[in-house]
Amino acid sequence: EIVLTQSPGTLSLSPGERATLSCRASQSVSSSYLAWYQQKPGQAPRLLIYGASSRATGIPDRFSGSGSGTDFTLTISRLEPEDFAVYYCQQYGSSQYTFGQGTKLEIK
Amino acid sequence: EVQLVESGGGLVQPGRSLRLSCAASGFTFDDYAMHWVRQAPGKGLEWVSGISWNSGSIGYADSVKGRFTISRDNAKNSLYLQMNSLRAEDTALYYCAKDMSLYGSGPHDYWGQGTLVTVSS
């Protein structure tokens, strides 16, 4: 099983700032099959990024993903009030998908 | 519009069984793999199981292997999760999720609102 470790656990920033979230895998993620999701309280997760760097339909371009192998990053260029939420990475390159434990992005 | 509606959750005693269902609409169900993902109260997401478009490929998380069985009925546009030998740690909101990739395996582009399973005596 591929273990994904996200950091930091909590990130405190202000609207307008840049957010950088990290996801590290215990072994190489096949073909960059790495996705990022956003989850707000009481809601189902929403797919943001797939294939490490491709934005899902309807996702604003302030969200970007990068990385390969074992190290991946989600960047939000300028935080909007609606971006404060929990973010999860997920690998889907093996027969057992796995999620990271999440990063909570909170308003400073 | 893609819709995924889960049902079948509830309160069940440890060791008992429960069957979850997911009714899908708004897309060609038998073209896509489907998944179950759960979230314990106040915790993160855990992928539980996935099934390919034709049921030819099935996977489970180690935590449920041997106890849970995923299946689908393409004629009824429905996904199922048979959960046996339930434990307290299976208590969670169970989401049905559609795979993004046609025929293949990919991330989850649509999610239901979930059905709550509580395992307690």
Side-chain angles (χ1 to χ4, degrees):
Chain A
E1 173 184 302
I2 298 176
V3 176
L4 299 179
T5 302
Q6 293 186 238
S7 61
T10 301
L11 185 58
S12 299
L13 294 170
S14 301
E17 291 192 294
R18 180 185 185 91
T20 303
L21 287 67
S22 174
C23 176
R24 178 163 290 178
S26 60
Q27 54 188 280
S28 184
V29 175
S30 173
S31 302
S32 293
Y33 284 166
L34 194 286
W36 290 92
Y37 298 86
Q38 176 193 67
Q39 188 179 34
K40 297 179 180 179
Q43 296 184 15
R46 176 173 71 146
L47 177 65
L48 298 175
I49 300 288
Y50 63 95
S53 61
S54 297
R55 274 188 300 278
T57 302
I59 301 304
D61 61 7
R62 64 179 182 274
F63 290 91
S64 63
S66 62
S68 64
T70 61
D71 289 294
F72 299 88
T73 300
L74 174 70
T75 302
I76 310 172
S77 58
R78 291 178 319 279
L79 285 166
E80 298 287 343
E82 62 267 28
D83 297 337
F84 292 92
V86 180
Y87 292 82
Y88 296 94
C89 59
Q90 179 200 38
Q91 67 79 23
Y92 51 96
S94 70
S95 59
Q96 286 185 320
Y97 291 22
T98 50
F99 286 94
Q101 83 279 16
T103 290
K104 182 179 181 181
L105 179 56
E106 65 177 24
I107 299 177
K108 187 174 182 180
Chain B
E1 178 193 5
V2 172
Q3 284 199 316
L4 299 170
V5 180
E6 304 93 337
S7 61
L11 175 63
V12 61
Q13 293 179 326
R16 303 298 290 266
S17 299
L18 206 59
R19 189 193 196 208
L20 305 184
S21 299
C22 172
S25 61
F27 65 102
T28 305
F29 183 72
D30 53 9
D31 278 351
Y32 293 90
M34 296 293 295
H35 303 264
W36 289 100
V37 176
R38 69 184 180 183
Q39 187 168 35
K43 303 298 184 181
L45 301 171
E46 180 185 16
W47 178 83
V48 173
S49 183
I51 185 168
S52 64
W53 63 282
N54 63 352
S55 304
S57 179
I58 287 175
Y60 298 98
D62 289 342
S63 58
V64 306
K65 200 174 294 183
R67 300 188 299 123
F68 288 13
T69 301
I70 192 171
S71 62
R72 64 189 295 162
D73 185 336
N74 288 344
K76 294 183 178 180
N77 287 353
S78 293
L79 176 72
Y80 306 102
L81 186 68
Q82 177 67 43
M83 304 186 295
N84 298 333
S85 304
L86 283 162
R87 306 167 179 167
E89 54 265 35
D90 296 319
T91 294
L93 185 65
Y94 284 73
Y95 292 104
C96 167
K98 172 187 168 292
D99 197 292
M100 193 183 82
S101 297
L102 192 64
Y103 300 130
S105 60
H108 317 311
D109 57 350
Y110 289 94
W111 299 63
Q113 285 305 303
T115 186
L116 182 62
V117 173
T118 303
V119 184
S120 174
S121 54

Coordinates of all heavy atoms in Angstrom, one line a residue, chain A residues 5-82:
Chain A
T5 N 1.7 11.2 2.8 CA 1.8 12.0 4.0 C 1.7 13.5 3.5 O 2.5 14.0 2.7 CB 3.2 11.8 4.7 OG1 3.3 10.4 5.0 CG2 3.3 12.6 5.9
Q6 N 0.7 14.2 4.1 CA 0.5 15.6 3.7 C 1.1 16.5 4.8 O 1.1 16.2 6.0 CB -1.0 15.9 3.6 CG -1.6 15.1 2.4 CD -3.0 15.5 2.1 OE1 -3.9 14.7 2.1 NE2 -3.3 16.8 1.9
S7 N 1.6 17.6 4.3 CA 2.1 18.6 5.3 C 1.9 20.0 4.7 O 1.8 20.2 3.5 CB 3.6 18.4 5.5 OG 4.4 18.6 4.3
P8 N 1.7 21.0 5.6 CA 1.5 20.8 7.0 C 0.1 20.2 7.4 O -0.7 20.1 6.5 CB 1.7 22.2 7.6 CG 1.1 23.1 6.5 CD 1.5 22.4 5.2
G9 N -0.1 19.9 8.6 CA -1.4 19.4 9.0 C -2.4 20.6 9.0 O -3.6 20.4 8.6
T10 N -2.0 21.8 9.4 CA -2.8 23.0 9.4 C -2.0 24.1 8.8 O -0.8 24.3 9.1 CB -3.3 23.3 10.8 OG1 -4.1 22.2 11.3 CG2 -4.2 24.6 10.7
L11 N -2.6 24.9 8.0 CA -2.0 26.1 7.4 C -2.8 27.3 7.6 O -4.0 27.3 7.2 CB -1.8 25.8 5.9 CG -1.0 26.8 5.0 CD1 0.4 27.0 5.6 CD2 -0.9 26.4 3.6
S12 N -2.3 28.3 8.3 CA -3.0 29.5 8.6 C -2.5 30.6 7.7 O -1.4 31.1 7.8 CB -2.9 29.8 10.1 OG -3.3 28.8 10.9
L13 N -3.4 31.1 6.8 CA -3.1 32.2 5.9 C -4.2 33.2 5.8 O -5.4 32.9 6.2 CB -2.8 31.6 4.5 CG -1.5 30.7 4.4 CD1 -1.4 30.0 3.1 CD2 -0.2 31.5 4.7
S14 N -4.0 34.3 5.2 CA -5.0 35.3 4.9 C -5.4 35.3 3.5 O -4.6 34.9 2.6 CB -4.4 36.7 5.3 OG -4.0 36.7 6.7
P15 N -6.6 35.8 3.2 CA -7.1 35.9 1.8 C -6.1 36.8 1.0 O -5.5 37.8 1.6 CB -8.4 36.6 2.0 CG -8.9 36.2 3.3 CD -7.7 36.1 4.2
G16 N -5.8 36.4 -0.2 CA -4.9 37.1 -1.0 C -3.5 36.5 -1.0 O -2.7 36.7 -1.9
E17 N -3.2 35.7 0.0 CA -1.9 35.1 0.1 C -1.8 33.8 -0.7 O -2.8 33.3 -1.2 CB -1.5 34.7 1.6 CG -1.3 35.9 2.5 CD -0.7 35.6 3.8 OE1 -1.4 34.9 4.6 OE2 0.5 36.0 4.1
R18 N -0.6 33.3 -0.8 CA -0.3 32.1 -1.6 C -0.2 30.9 -0.7 O 0.4 31.0 0.4 CB 1.0 32.3 -2.4 CG 1.5 31.1 -3.3 CD 2.8 31.4 -3.8 NE 3.3 30.5 -4.8 CZ 3.1 30.6 -6.1 NH1 2.4 31.6 -6.6 NH2 3.6 29.6 -6.9
A19 N -0.9 29.8 -1.1 CA -0.8 28.6 -0.2 C -0.1 27.5 -1.0 O -0.3 27.3 -2.2 CB -2.2 28.1 0.1
T20 N 0.8 26.8 -0.3 CA 1.5 25.7 -0.8 C 1.3 24.5 0.1 O 1.7 24.5 1.2 CB 3.0 26.0 -1.0 OG1 3.2 27.2 -1.7 CG2 3.8 24.9 -1.6
L21 N 0.7 23.4 -0.5 CA 0.4 22.2 0.3 C 1.3 21.1 -0.3 O 1.4 20.9 -1.6 CB -1.0 21.9 0.2 CG -2.1 22.7 1.0 CD1 -2.1 24.1 0.5 CD2 -3.4 22.0 0.9
S22 N 1.8 20.2 0.5 CA 2.7 19.1 0.1 C 2.1 17.8 0.3 O 1.3 17.6 1.3 CB 4.0 19.3 0.9 OG 4.8 18.2 0.6
C23 N 2.4 16.8 -0.6 CA 2.0 15.5 -0.5 C 3.2 14.6 -0.9 O 3.7 14.7 -2.0 CB 0.8 15.2 -1.4 SG 0.2 13.5 -1.4
R24 N 3.6 13.8 0.1 CA 4.8 12.9 -0.2 C 4.3 11.4 -0.1 O 3.6 11.0 0.8 CB 5.9 13.2 0.8 CG 7.1 12.3 0.7 CD 8.3 12.9 1.4 NE 8.8 14.1 0.7 CZ 9.8 14.8 1.1 NH1 10.4 14.5 2.3 NH2 10.2 15.8 0.5
A25 N 4.7 10.6 -1.1 CA 4.4 9.2 -1.2 C 5.5 8.3 -0.7 O 6.7 8.6 -0.9 CB 4.0 8.9 -2.6
S26 N 5.1 7.2 -0.1 CA 6.1 6.2 0.4 C 6.8 5.5 -0.7 O 7.9 4.9 -0.5 CB 5.4 5.2 1.3 OG 4.4 4.5 0.6
Q27 N 6.3 5.5 -1.9 CA 6.9 5.0 -3.1 C 6.4 5.7 -4.3 O 5.4 6.4 -4.2 CB 6.7 3.5 -3.2 CG 5.2 3.0 -3.2 CD 5.1 1.5 -3.1 OE1 5.2 0.8 -4.2 NE2 4.8 1.0 -2.0
S28 N 7.1 5.6 -5.4 CA 6.8 6.4 -6.6 C 5.3 6.1 -7.0 O 4.9 5.0 -7.1 CB 7.7 6.0 -7.7 OG 7.5 6.8 -8.9
V29 N 4.6 7.2 -7.4 CA 3.2 7.1 -7.8 C 3.3 6.9 -9.4 O 3.8 7.7 -10.1 CB 2.5 8.4 -7.5 CG1 1.1 8.3 -8.1 CG2 2.4 8.5 -5.9
S30 N 2.7 5.8 -9.8 CA 2.7 5.4 -11.2 C 2.1 6.4 -12.1 O 0.9 6.9 -11.8 CB 2.0 4.0 -11.3 OG 1.8 3.7 -12.7
S31 N 2.8 6.8 -13.1 CA 2.3 7.8 -14.2 C 1.7 9.0 -13.6 O 0.8 9.6 -14.2 CB 1.2 7.0 -15.0 OG 1.8 5.9 -15.6
S32 N 2.2 9.5 -12.4 CA 1.7 10.7 -11.8 C 0.2 10.6 -11.6 O -0.5 11.6 -11.8 CB 2.1 11.9 -12.6 OG 3.5 12.1 -12.6
Y33 N -0.3 9.5 -11.2 CA -1.7 9.3 -10.9 C -2.0 9.8 -9.5 O -2.3 9.1 -8.6 CB -2.1 7.8 -11.1 CG -2.3 7.3 -12.5 CD1 -2.4 6.0 -12.7 CD2 -2.3 8.2 -13.6 CE1 -2.5 5.5 -14.0 CE2 -2.5 7.7 -14.8 CZ -2.5 6.4 -15.1 OH -2.7 5.9 -16.3
L34 N -1.9 11.2 -9.4 CA -2.1 11.8 -8.2 C -3.2 12.9 -8.3 O -3.1 13.7 -9.3 CB -0.8 12.5 -7.7 CG -0.5 13.0 -6.3 CD1 -1.3 14.3 -6.0 CD2 -0.9 11.9 -5.3
A35 N -4.1 12.9 -7.4 CA -5.2 13.8 -7.4 C -5.3 14.6 -6.1 O -4.8 14.2 -5.1 CB -6.6 13.1 -7.7
W36 N -5.9 15.8 -6.3 CA -6.2 16.7 -5.1 C -7.7 17.0 -5.0 O -8.3 17.2 -6.0 CB -5.4 18.0 -5.2 CG -4.0 17.9 -5.1 CD1 -3.0 17.7 -6.1 CD2 -3.2 18.0 -3.9 NE1 -1.8 17.7 -5.6 CE2 -1.8 17.9 -4.2 CE3 -3.5 18.1 -2.5 CZ2 -0.8 17.9 -3.3 CZ3 -2.5 18.2 -1.6 CH2 -1.2 18.1 -1.9
Y37 N -8.2 16.9 -3.8 CA -9.6 17.2 -3.5 C -9.7 18.3 -2.5 O -8.9 18.4 -1.6 CB -10.3 16.0 -3.0 CG -10.3 14.8 -3.9 CD1 -9.3 13.9 -4.0 CD2 -11.4 14.6 -4.8 CE1 -9.3 12.8 -4.8 CE2 -11.4 13.5 -5.7 CZ -10.3 12.6 -5.7 OH -10.4 11.5 -6.5
Q38 N -10.8 19.0 -2.6 CA -11.2 20.0 -1.5 C -12.5 19.5 -0.9 O -13.4 19.1 -1.5 CB -11.4 21.4 -2.2 CG -11.9 22.5 -1.3 CD -12.5 23.6 -2.1 OE1 -13.5 23.6 -2.8 NE2 -11.7 24.8 -2.1
Q39 N -12.5 19.7 0.5 CA -13.7 19.3 1.2 C -14.1 20.4 2.2 O -13.2 20.8 3.0 CB -13.6 18.0 1.9 CG -14.9 17.5 2.5 CD -14.9 16.2 3.2 OE1 -13.9 15.8 3.8 NE2 -16.0 15.4 3.1
K40 N -15.3 20.9 2.1 CA -15.8 21.9 3.0 C -16.7 21.2 4.0 O -17.3 20.1 3.7 CB -16.5 23.0 2.3 CG -15.6 23.8 1.4 CD -16.3 24.9 0.6 CE -15.4 25.6 -0.3 NZ -16.0 26.7 -1.0
P41 N -16.9 21.7 5.2 CA -17.8 21.1 6.2 C -19.2 20.7 5.7 O -19.8 21.5 5.1 CB -17.9 22.1 7.3 CG -16.6 22.9 7.2 CD -16.3 23.0 5.7
G42 N -19.6 19.5 5.9 CA -20.9 19.0 5.5 C -21.1 18.7 4.1 O -22.2 18.5 3.6
Q43 N -20.0 18.8 3.3 CA -20.1 18.6 1.9 C -19.2 17.4 1.5 O -18.2 17.0 2.1 CB -19.6 19.8 1.1 CG -20.5 21.0 1.3 CD -20.0 22.2 0.4 OE1 -19.2 22.0 -0.5 NE2 -20.5 23.4 0.7
A44 N -19.6 16.8 0.3 CA -18.7 15.8 -0.3 C -17.4 16.4 -0.8 O -17.4 17.6 -1.2 CB -19.5 15.1 -1.4
P45 N -16.4 15.7 -1.0 CA -15.2 16.2 -1.6 C -15.4 16.6 -3.0 O -16.3 16.1 -3.7 CB -14.2 15.0 -1.5 CG -14.7 14.2 -0.4 CD -16.2 14.3 -0.5
R46 N -14.6 17.5 -3.5 CA -14.6 18.0 -4.9 C -13.3 17.8 -5.5 O -12.2 18.2 -4.9 CB -15.0 19.5 -4.9 CG -15.0 20.1 -6.4 CD -15.6 21.5 -6.4 NE -14.7 22.5 -5.8 CZ -14.6 23.7 -6.3 NH1 -15.3 24.1 -7.3 NH2 -13.9 24.6 -5.7
L47 N -13.2 17.2 -6.7 CA -12.0 17.0 -7.4 C -11.5 18.3 -7.9 O -12.2 19.0 -8.6 CB -12.2 16.0 -8.6 CG -11.0 15.7 -9.5 CD1 -9.9 15.0 -8.7 CD2 -11.5 14.9 -10.7
L48 N -10.2 18.6 -7.6 CA -9.6 19.8 -8.1 C -8.6 19.5 -9.2 O -8.6 20.2 -10.3 CB -8.8 20.5 -7.0 CG -9.5 21.0 -5.7 CD1 -8.6 21.5 -4.7 CD2 -10.6 22.0 -6.1
I49 N -7.6 18.6 -9.0 CA -6.5 18.3 -9.8 C -6.4 16.8 -10.0 O -6.6 16.0 -9.0 CB -5.2 18.8 -9.2 CG1 -5.2 20.3 -8.9 CG2 -4.0 18.4 -10.0 CD1 -5.1 21.2 -10.2
Y50 N -6.1 16.4 -11.2 CA -5.8 15.0 -11.5 C -4.6 14.9 -12.4 O -4.1 15.9 -13.0 CB -7.0 14.3 -12.1 CG -7.4 14.8 -13.5 CD1 -6.9 14.2 -14.6 CD2 -8.2 15.9 -13.6 CE1 -7.2 14.7 -15.9 CE2 -8.5 16.5 -14.8 CZ -8.0 15.9 -16.0 OH -8.3 16.4 -17.2
G51 N -4.0 13.7 -12.4 CA -2.7 13.5 -13.2 C -1.6 14.5 -12.7 O -0.8 14.9 -13.5
A52 N -1.7 14.8 -11.4 CA -0.7 15.7 -10.7 C -0.8 17.1 -11.1 O -0.6 18.0 -10.3 CB 0.7 15.2 -11.0
S53 N -1.3 17.5 -12.3 CA -1.2 18.9 -12.7 C -2.4 19.4 -13.6 O -2.4 20.5 -14.0 CB 0.1 19.2 -13.5 OG 0.2 18.4 -14.6
S54 N -3.3 18.5 -13.9 CA -4.5 18.9 -14.7 C -5.6 19.3 -13.9 O -6.0 18.6 -13.0 CB -4.9 17.7 -15.6 OG -3.9 17.3 -16.5
R55 N -6.2 20.5 -14.2 CA -7.3 21.0 -13.4 C -8.6 20.3 -13.9 O -8.8 20.1 -15.1 CB -7.5 22.5 -13.6 CG -6.7 23.3 -12.6 CD -7.1 24.8 -12.7 NE -6.8 25.3 -14.1 CZ -5.6 25.7 -14.5 NH1 -4.6 25.7 -13.7 NH2 -5.5 26.2 -15.7
A56 N -9.4 19.9 -12.9 CA -10.7 19.3 -13.3 C -11.7 20.4 -13.8 O -11.4 21.6 -13.7 CB -11.3 18.7 -12.0
T57 N -12.7 20.0 -14.4 CA -13.7 20.9 -15.0 C -14.2 21.9 -14.0 O -14.6 21.5 -12.9 CB -14.9 20.1 -15.6 OG1 -14.4 19.1 -16.5 CG2 -15.9 21.0 -16.3
G58 N -14.1 23.2 -14.4 CA -14.7 24.2 -13.6 C -13.8 24.7 -12.5 O -14.3 25.6 -11.7
I59 N -12.6 24.2 -12.4 CA -11.7 24.6 -11.3 C -11.0 25.9 -11.7 O -10.4 25.9 -12.8 CB -10.8 23.5 -10.9 CG1 -11.5 22.3 -10.5 CG2 -9.8 24.0 -9.8 CD1 -12.5 22.5 -9.3
P60 N -11.0 26.9 -10.9 CA -10.3 28.2 -11.2 C -8.8 28.0 -11.4 O -8.2 27.1 -10.8 CB -10.6 29.1 -10.0 CG -11.7 28.5 -9.3 CD -11.7 27.0 -9.6
D61 N -8.2 28.9 -12.2 CA -6.8 28.7 -12.6 C -5.9 29.1 -11.4 O -4.7 29.0 -11.6 CB -6.4 29.4 -13.9 CG -6.7 30.8 -13.9 OD1 -7.0 31.4 -12.8 OD2 -6.6 31.5 -15.0
R62 N -6.4 29.6 -10.3 CA -5.6 29.9 -9.2 C -5.1 28.6 -8.5 O -4.2 28.7 -7.7 CB -6.2 30.8 -8.2 CG -7.5 30.3 -7.5 CD -8.0 31.3 -6.5 NE -9.2 30.8 -5.8 CZ -10.4 30.8 -6.2 NH1 -10.7 31.4 -7.4 NH2 -11.5 30.4 -5.5
F63 N -5.8 27.5 -8.8 CA -5.3 26.2 -8.3 C -4.4 25.6 -9.3 O -4.7 25.4 -10.5 CB -6.5 25.3 -8.1 CG -7.5 25.7 -7.0 CD1 -8.5 26.5 -7.2 CD2 -7.2 25.2 -5.7 CE1 -9.4 26.9 -6.2 CE2 -8.1 25.6 -4.7 CZ -9.1 26.4 -4.9
S64 N -3.2 25.1 -8.9 CA -2.3 24.4 -9.8 C -1.6 23.3 -9.0 O -1.4 23.4 -7.8 CB -1.3 25.3 -10.3 OG -0.5 25.9 -9.3
G65 N -1.3 22.2 -9.7 CA -0.6 21.1 -9.1 C 0.7 20.8 -9.9 O 0.8 21.1 -11.1
S66 N 1.6 20.3 -9.1 CA 2.9 19.9 -9.7 C 3.5 18.7 -9.0 O 3.0 18.3 -7.9 CB 3.9 21.1 -9.7 OG 4.1 21.5 -8.3
G67 N 4.6 18.2 -9.6 CA 5.3 17.1 -8.9 C 5.3 15.8 -9.8 O 4.5 15.7 -10.7
S68 N 6.1 14.9 -9.3 CA 6.2 13.6 -9.9 C 6.9 12.7 -9.0 O 7.5 13.1 -8.0 CB 6.9 13.6 -11.3 OG 8.2 14.0 -11.1
G69 N 6.8 11.4 -9.3 CA 7.5 10.4 -8.4 C 6.9 10.3 -7.0 O 5.8 9.7 -6.9
T70 N 7.6 10.9 -6.0 CA 7.1 10.8 -4.7 C 6.7 12.1 -4.1 O 6.2 12.2 -2.9 CB 8.1 10.1 -3.8 OG1 9.3 10.9 -3.8 CG2 8.4 8.7 -4.2
D71 N 7.0 13.2 -4.7 CA 6.7 14.5 -4.2 C 5.8 15.4 -5.0 O 6.1 15.6 -6.2 CB 8.0 15.3 -4.0 CG 8.8 14.7 -2.8 OD1 8.3 14.8 -1.7 OD2 9.9 14.1 -3.1
F72 N 4.7 15.8 -4.5 CA 3.7 16.6 -5.2 C 3.2 17.8 -4.4 O 3.3 17.8 -3.1 CB 2.4 15.7 -5.4 CG 2.8 14.4 -6.3 CD1 3.2 13.3 -5.7 CD2 2.7 14.5 -7.6 CE1 3.5 12.2 -6.4 CE2 3.0 13.4 -8.4 CZ 3.4 12.2 -7.8
T73 N 2.8 18.8 -5.1 CA 2.4 20.1 -4.5 C 1.1 20.6 -5.1 O 0.9 20.6 -6.3 CB 3.6 21.1 -4.7 OG1 4.8 20.6 -4.1 CG2 3.2 22.4 -4.0
L74 N 0.3 21.1 -4.2 CA -0.9 21.9 -4.7 C -0.6 23.3 -4.3 O -0.3 23.6 -3.1 CB -2.2 21.4 -4.0 CG -3.4 22.2 -4.2 CD1 -3.9 22.1 -5.7 CD2 -4.6 21.8 -3.3
T75 N -0.8 24.2 -5.2 CA -0.6 25.7 -5.0 C -1.8 26.4 -5.3 O -2.5 26.2 -6.3 CB 0.6 26.2 -5.8 OG1 1.8 25.5 -5.6 CG2 0.8 27.7 -5.6
I76 N -2.2 27.3 -4.4 CA -3.3 28.2 -4.6 C -2.7 29.6 -4.6 O -2.2 30.1 -3.6 CB -4.4 28.1 -3.5 CG1 -4.8 26.7 -3.2 CG2 -5.6 28.9 -3.9 CD1 -5.7 26.4 -2.0
S77 N -2.8 30.2 -5.8 CA -1.9 31.4 -6.0 C -2.4 32.6 -5.2 O -1.5 33.3 -4.6 CB -1.9 31.8 -7.5 OG -3.3 32.0 -7.9
R78 N -3.7 32.9 -5.1 CA -4.2 34.0 -4.3 C -5.5 33.5 -3.6 O -6.5 33.2 -4.3 CB -4.5 35.2 -5.2 CG -3.3 35.9 -5.8 CD -3.7 37.1 -6.6 NE -4.9 36.8 -7.5 CZ -4.8 36.1 -8.6 NH1 -3.7 35.7 -9.1 NH2 -5.9 35.9 -9.3
L79 N -5.4 33.3 -2.3 CA -6.5 32.7 -1.6 C -7.8 33.6 -1.6 O -7.7 34.8 -1.4 CB -6.1 32.4 -0.2 CG -5.2 31.2 0.0 CD1 -4.6 31.3 1.4 CD2 -5.9 29.9 -0.2
E80 N -8.9 33.0 -2.0 CA -10.2 33.6 -1.9 C -10.9 33.0 -0.6 O -10.5 32.0 -0.1 CB -11.0 33.2 -3.1 CG -10.5 33.7 -4.4 CD -10.6 35.2 -4.6 OE1 -11.4 35.8 -3.9 OE2 -9.9 35.8 -5.4
P81 N -11.8 33.8 -0.1 CA -12.5 33.3 1.2 C -13.1 31.9 1.1 O -13.0 31.2 2.0 CB -13.6 34.4 1.4 CG -13.1 35.6 0.7 CD -12.3 35.1 -0.5
E82 N -13.5 31.5 -0.1 CA -14.1 30.2 -0.3 C -13.1 29.1 -0.4 O -13.5 27.9 -0.4 CB -15.0 30.2 -1.5 CG -14.3 30.5 -2.8 CD -14.3 31.9 -3.2 OE1 -14.4 32.8 -2.3 OE2 -14.3 32.2 -4.5

